[in-house]
Amino acid sequence: MLRSMFSAISGLKAHQTKMDVTGNNIANVNTVGYKSSSTVFQDTLSQVVRAGGAPAAERGGTNPAQVGLGVKLAAITTNWTNGAAQSTGRSTDFMIEGDGFFVTRGSGAEQLYTRAGSFDFDATGRLVTPDGSILQGWIAEPDGTINPNGPIEDLSVPYGATVPPTATRTSTVEGNLDSAATTGAFVQTPVRMFDQMGVRQEVTYTFTKAAAANTWTLTVANGGGALPLTNADGTAFDGTVTFGTDGVMTAPTGGIRFTPGTPSWPGTVDVDLSGIDQFGGKSEVVPSDVDGYAMGTLQGFSLSNDGTITGTYSNGLRQNLGQLAMASFNNPSGLEKAGNSSFRVAQNSGEPMVGVAGTGGRGVLSSGALEMSNVDLSEEFTSLIVAQRGFQANSRVITASDELLQDLVNLKR
């Protein structure tokens, strides 16, 4: 009698735990990045009432008779499937599509890991979680290069930061010059450039059809007379541009070079003309790539799939500011929950493998969206019913055992 009561008590405890886990799942149905949990039961030791016997020549074998002693909690497992995407439109909301975790620095320099990508700025421009943990990654060098093999650090976006002006040093033009153009026909292409003070300079390329077949002359002016031109190797260039019968430019080869000739714009500018052809059709030459820019102020940023944060400046410049670090684990179920939707490394999780999003089994990132909880309410309500009925059935076992004990006591009367 007592044995059945103790088995039923273990059943009550186990189903109470199942109820606790299910209740927690339902409570976090709208928690960003939350992963649902489930309980796994297993039976406990059994008492052998009669041992089994091996078969012999004169008799068959017998199976052991065993009475179980109840149930116990084997594990509380985590469901790591991705939750649904929720668009927010906020540039500081990031979602992981696939496996992996954001890396944050909690209080006391403890490194934590989370799937909740709702971040915001603090007073110093650092990206932080709602509880104040700081997002980790790699800060870009002044020229925009990022070293993802270096140590991770606090990630920040320096709103209001300025970039100094850079003088134009290279220019590329491409297009078509009409092979049927008459002598004296010309095409002018204005190109916006900048001197080393960031002042805008209007440079004009003029292509004029010469009398010779397949020949044009090129002049470059900067608000005044023509500027002196040389070949890319520094030799003299007379401004003659020639094409073959197939429409491909034959001279100059390697582009040209001009000297602005102003104190605020020292040095030379290399011009790539290889993208210009001479075919039948409208003459049109346009600049395709010109470096140099004025002084600019950071206005906003965007996030790419690999976690690179690219800043947009008031002068039109787009430059890398940093890159988010992501971590993956051999056994994410072995992580220990640290509260605030974060996890910490535990003995059976394995060491964090920190790297770039989209590599090494780490998912890609999306900006302006959050990963919602993966709790399935229909499944949780079903588990709720199962836990309730399991608890109820075990309580009935205790009641029935109590009645049997009462009947046993009454035998003496």
Side-chain angles (χ1 to χ4, degrees):
M1 306 295 181
L2 294 177
R3 188 165 52 196
S4 63
M5 294 185 71
F6 286 116
S7 293
I9 290 173
S10 69
L12 292 178
K13 292 180 178 178
H15 284 86
Q16 179 59 58
T17 302
K18 182 178 180 67
M19 182 72 77
D20 295 339
V21 172
T22 303
N24 183 62
N25 287 341
I26 295 175
N28 286 280
V29 68
N30 289 315
T31 300
V32 174
Y34 177 78
K35 301 302 178 184
S36 62
S37 300
S38 59
T39 53
V40 179
F41 298 154
Q42 66 182 23
D43 61 347
T44 57
L45 294 174
S46 297
Q47 181 178 357
V48 178
V49 178
R50 185 185 68 240
E58 66 280 3
R59 59 187 297 273
T62 59
N63 295 325
Q66 303 174 85
V67 178
L69 300 178
V71 65
K72 67 177 181 180
L73 181 69
I76 299 177
T77 60
T78 304
N79 177 12
W80 291 102
T81 59
N82 282 8
Q86 176 68 49
S87 178
T88 64
R90 296 179 69 244
S91 58
T92 54
D93 285 344
F94 307 139
M95 184 187 76
I96 302 174
E97 297 181 30
D99 298 330
F101 297 83
F102 297 108
V103 184
T104 63
R105 180 172 65 85
S107 58
E110 181 185 17
Q111 203 165 88
L112 300 174
Y113 308 90
T114 182
R115 294 279 302 188
S118 180
F119 301 102
D120 216 328
F121 293 106
D122 67 3
T124 62
R126 297 176 299 184
L127 284 166
V128 297
T129 62
D131 65 296
S133 295
I134 305 169
L135 186 62
Q136 300 293 286
W138 299 278
I139 299 296
E141 298 295 333
D143 61 356
T145 58
I146 300 173
N147 178 22
N149 296 318
I152 58 176
E153 54 186 314
D154 296 347
L155 203 56
S156 62
V157 176
Y159 267 114
T162 60
V163 291
T166 299
T168 299
R169 290 289 177 258
T170 61
S171 171
T172 301
V173 290
E174 57 185 28
N176 179 66
L177 296 174
D178 186 7
S179 59
T182 58
T183 303
F186 65 91
V187 178
Q188 282 189 333
T189 302
V191 183
R192 182 180 62 181
M193 298 185 181
F194 297 92
D195 62 18
Q196 66 179 5
M197 301 303 294
V199 178
R200 179 172 173 173
Q201 303 288 335
E202 291 294 342
V203 177
T204 302
Y205 301 150
T206 303
F207 293 86
T208 305
K209 182 65 176 71
N214 303 321
T215 303
W216 297 71
T217 59
L218 169 63
T219 58
V220 179
N222 182 19
L227 299 173
L229 305 177
T230 65
N231 289 303
D233 58 3
T235 58
F237 174 64
D238 61 2
T240 302
V241 180
T242 60
F243 297 88
T245 55
D246 58 356
V248 178
M249 183 181 294
T250 56
T253 59
I256 63 168
R257 179 178 296 168
F258 70 86
T259 302
T262 59
S264 63
W265 196 2
T268 58
V269 177
D270 292 318
V271 183
D272 183 1
L273 303 175
S274 60
I276 300 177
D277 301 307
Q278 181 187 251
F279 299 119
K282 180 182 178 181
S283 292
E284 184 178 16
V285 178
V286 295
S288 60
D289 187 18
V290 183
D291 67 358
Y293 44 83
M295 185 186 74
T297 304
L298 182 64
Q299 300 292 309
F301 69 91
S302 60
L303 182 78
S304 63
N305 286 346
D306 65 351
T308 300
I309 300 175
T310 303
T312 303
Y313 292 83
S314 58
N315 58 2
L317 175 68
R318 291 177 59 83
Q319 184 170 287
N320 294 338
L321 302 176
Q323 189 169 16
L324 273 69
M326 285 187 61
S328 61
F329 294 87
N330 288 330
N331 178 29
S333 295
L335 292 169
E336 178 183 332
K337 292 185 178 181
N340 299 318
S341 297
S342 295
F343 300 84
R344 61 168 58 95
V345 175
Q347 292 181 346
N348 196 39
S349 63
E351 291 300 316
M353 294 172 284
V354 179
V356 177
T359 64
R362 292 172 285 268
V364 297
L365 298 175
S366 295
S367 179
L370 291 174
E371 180 189 11
M372 300 307 293
S373 169
N374 67 353
V375 172
D376 184 343
L377 276 180
S378 61
E379 182 178 337
E380 296 305 322
F381 281 130
T382 302
S383 296
L384 204 62
I385 295 171
V386 171
Q388 180 184 6
R389 293 308 181 191
F391 189 94
Q392 187 179 45
N394 279 277
S395 66
R396 292 294 184 269
V397 171
I398 295 176
T399 302
S401 298
D402 177 60
E403 292 177 354
L404 290 175
L405 285 171
Q406 184 65 38
D407 291 341
L408 181 61
V409 171
N410 289 339
L411 288 177
K412 188 176 180 301
R413 295 180 180 176

